Amino acid sequence: MYDFLVAGAGPAGSRFARRAAENGRDVLVLERGEVGKPLACSGHVSTDVWDFTPDGAREELLQNEVYGARFHVGGPGSAEHPFYKDEVVSNVIDRVGLDRTLAGAARDAGADLREDHSVTAVEEHGDHVAVTANTPDGTEQFRAKMVAGCDGPVSRVRRELGLPEPGEKLQGVLGFTDEDDPGDFVDVHLTAPRFFAWRIPRGDAGVEYGLAAPPGAQPGARELFERFTADYDVETSEFCAGMIPIGPPRSVTAHRGFLLGDAAAQTKPFTGGGILYGMTAADHAARTVAPDDPGTLADYERAWRDDLQSEIRLGHWVRRAYSLPEPVQTAGLRALSGEIAVHMDRPTSFFSPEHLRTLLSRT
């Protein structure tokens, strides 16, 4: 019997598997397809991502360095409101490569990672869980003391454990061009309902265009994306789509199971990104959860919420600004734009002494 069965080898799942294996746990990871595929997430991340990767990952995965963002209330050609630092604030990376690097680190730590294993059922028992999966050789059942649901926004483990859904799911779409653009700024357009569209330069790897919007919006996310790229006069390839969970449910733990990453909606409400939050929660889980003691799941709930709930709560407030009337958005962006001292993963840094001094210096 395994100590942990991890469903999903995205960043959160692989990070947890690596840390648990390093702690001497017997870990099995089941990935429903090929690690990193299909791509459904942006490759724009904070520089903190390298704290979670093995040595040498930055040199292999880095595509571009970003110094700031230009915000637009309208589409391409509309007024720009830049927010920037005189140092690198974020990186653009090979997103598929990140998943594979993290999965490789989990394997190197001793985790047993199996691709093309799709979880179909989870049964909790007094001292273990029984997990059924479709495999290349047919249906197989595995036993573990705990199951970690790291299987994305539409989580089968979450459903099987009877855990509540995220507060909201957005429809995200991505596409890429082969433009050679080593630009220092990403572009953010507040033109999608209740969210935004973006353009991210990836150096000689091309340019990423993306957009997210609530399901059922009219026009839908795909049509909005086509309009957005048409306004930029580009045609994208490698079109990708996926759900973005926003708002963690009231509980992400059951009797012998717990959720991590997108399955737990451990994401930034104002960008939808969840790589850093998911891996942060994974570290808390690896530190607090003892596979023989279901009572330690409460320790995991407290640990990750104590660390991230203020950031998530403030992130919801930031997102509300996306739905303000255009004149109010324009006035706010005009007043606040300029040099910043804010961390892209921690909106509480907006109230840091350093950033408040920066704002006061403009008055």
Side-chain angles (χ1 to χ4, degrees):
M1 185 189 304
Y2 294 94
D3 289 318
F4 293 106
L5 187 149
V6 180
S14 290
R15 177 65 180 184
F16 173 76
R18 174 188 176 185
R19 298 295 288 161
E22 289 173 342
N23 290 340
R25 307 300 188 186
D26 193 6
V27 182
L28 172 65
V29 185
L30 303 182
E31 169 57 39
R32 65 182 178 182
E34 178 185 350
V35 172
K37 298 290 186 74
L39 174 66
C41 178
S42 174
H44 181 218
V45 297
S46 77
T47 56
D48 288 353
V49 72
W50 309 120
D51 294 337
F52 296 86
T53 58
D55 292 343
R58 186 180 186 278
E59 289 72 19
E60 293 181 9
L61 302 177
L62 181 67
Q63 295 176 332
N64 196 18
E65 295 181 320
V66 173
Y67 288 77
R70 293 182 293 249
F71 280 77
H72 309 254
V73 174
S78 61
E80 299 176 355
H81 304 279
F83 292 77
Y84 60 90
K85 283 186 178 181
D86 60 1
E87 60 188 44
V88 174
V89 297
S90 59
N91 288 165
V92 185
I93 63 171
D94 175 351
R95 184 64 184 78
V96 172
L98 176 68
D99 279 15
R100 292 174 175 169
T101 296
L102 295 170
R107 280 194 174 110
D108 291 344
D112 179 1
L113 195 157
R114 306 184 192 184
E115 296 178 298
D116 297 317
H117 281 61
S118 179
V119 171
T120 59
V122 178
E123 297 178 9
E124 289 186 290
H125 300 278
D127 63 351
H128 73 281
V129 290
V131 178
T132 304
N134 289 333
T135 79
D137 298 321
T139 301
E140 189 171 352
Q141 190 173 85
F142 304 89
R143 285 159 51 97
K145 296 174 183 177
M146 291 273 186
V147 61
C150 312
D151 49 343
V154 188
S155 169
R156 184 60 180 258
V157 174
R158 183 176 63 224
R159 190 181 331 133
E160 291 290 306
L161 295 178
L163 292 171
E165 294 283 317
E168 178 185 9
K169 295 192 190 87
L170 301 176
Q171 179 66 54
V173 292
L174 294 173
F176 302 89
T177 68
D178 59 3
E179 302 165 80
D180 186 349
D181 188 348
D184 294 337
F185 283 72
V186 302
D187 287 281
V188 178
H189 296 267
L190 302 178
T191 52
R194 292 167 48 195
F195 215 68
F196 60 86
W198 62 87
R199 180 186 186 275
I200 299 174
R202 302 165 64 218
D204 59 12
V207 174
E208 174 190 318
Y209 294 85
L211 178 147
Q218 294 298 325
R222 180 65 184 263
E223 183 177 344
L224 288 168
F225 178 77
E226 290 174 350
R227 293 181 185 181
F228 175 59
T229 53
D231 287 343
Y232 265 106
D233 194 25
V234 297
E235 292 186 7
T236 61
S237 60
E238 299 181 65
F239 180 82
C240 310
M243 303 303 293
I244 302 173
I246 302 291
R250 64 184 181 277
S251 175
V252 299
T253 56
H255 173 57
R256 282 199 170 270
F258 58 98
L259 306 177
L260 283 169
D262 282 0
Q266 291 161 336
T267 62
K268 296 180 287 184
F270 58 104
T271 70
I275 296 173
L276 266 293
Y277 283 14
M279 291 197 292
T280 297
D283 281 359
H284 285 303
R287 177 177 55 83
T288 58
V289 178
D292 291 305
D293 184 2
T296 58
L297 290 170
D299 299 328
Y300 161 61
E301 284 270 26
R302 283 191 295 270
W304 83 261
R305 292 183 191 274
D306 286 349
D307 194 351
L308 297 175
Q309 68 179 352
S310 293
E311 307 296 346
I312 293 173
R313 186 180 299 118
L314 188 55
H316 281 292
W317 282 100
V318 173
R319 186 182 164 203
R320 291 183 183 184
Y322 303 163
S323 300
L324 292 173
E326 287 189 14
V328 178
Q329 289 178 334
T330 300
L333 290 171
R334 186 180 297 123
L336 295 174
S337 65
E339 188 173 1
I340 59 172
V342 175
H343 191 289
M344 69 176 285
D345 285 322
R346 297 204 173 260
T348 53
S349 62
F350 184 86
F351 300 100
S352 69
E354 181 184 3
H355 187 61
L356 292 176
R357 282 195 297 269
T358 300
L359 291 178
L360 289 172
S361 69
R362 300 176 195 165
T363 61

